[in-house]
Amino acid sequence: VGHRRALVAGYLLGAATMAGFAGLVTLAPHSLAGWVVLFALAGVYMAVQEALEPAIVPELVPDRAVHGTAFGVLAVVNGLGDVG
């Protein structure tokens, strides 16, 4: 499938999961099964993201001399996203 397509699919799964959380809170906040399914999907999304973002960096930055910088930028962007 390739890293890019799998990562895009993971991001789409994450967006759908977050929309599911919004819908669950609004429509059925007491649905235990709904919460369990959405948290499981969130875990799958996080696993895909955490595994594939670093794997795709060398594909996006072919110059091996700046791979370390590229991984550092990825870490900073992810860290800022975690804070925000």
Side-chain angles (χ1 to χ4, degrees):
V1 174
H3 292 135
R4 289 182 191 205
R5 287 185 181 175
L7 186 57
V8 168
Y11 286 150
L12 292 174
L13 174 64
T17 302
M18 296 310 134
F21 276 119
L24 186 67
V25 167
T26 304
L27 301 174
H30 301 294
S31 170
L32 179 62
W35 287 107
V36 169
V37 167
L38 287 174
F39 271 100
L41 288 173
V44 171
Y45 155 68
M46 289 301 298
V48 168
Q49 174 197 349
E50 294 289 329
L52 290 178
E53 281 181 349
I56 201 169
V57 168
E59 294 176 15
L60 297 175
V61 183
D63 184 3
R64 294 185 67 136
V66 293
H67 275 186
T69 302
F71 282 109
V73 169
L74 174 64
V76 167
V77 169
N78 281 337
L80 290 174
D82 291 343
V83 170

